[in-house]
Amino acid sequence: MRYTILYDTEKEKWAVIDTALADQKVGLHQTAEAAVYHAFAEQELWRRYDPATERMAHLMA
């Protein structure tokens, strides 16, 4: 998975980190559950660009 969730002790919030973009923070959340939801939502946005998805689309057609 492209996104990681870490607890930011300075801000006392859960951070969603994009590991493909030099560990850039893409979101801060009060709860771990909200951070997990955000990470999965971001992952789904990038799934359409995954080469495996494109191959599977051709197999299903």
Side-chain angles (χ1 to χ4, degrees), residues 7-26:
Y7 188 72
D8 186 340
T9 55
E10 291 178 7
K11 294 187 173 38
E12 297 181 350
K13 294 184 187 246
W14 290 92
V16 178
I17 310 294
D18 187 344
T19 59
L21 290 175
D23 295 338
Q24 179 181 358
K25 286 182 186 175
V26 294

Side-chain angles (χ1 to χ4, degrees), residues 16-46:
V16 178
I17 310 294
D18 187 344
T19 59
L21 290 175
D23 295 338
Q24 179 181 358
K25 286 182 186 175
V26 294
L28 291 173
H29 300 276
Q30 295 290 343
T31 65
E33 292 82 11
V36 168
Y37 181 81
H38 181 191
F40 274 98
E42 290 286 339
Q43 183 69 30
E44 286 299 312
L45 289 174
W46 284 103

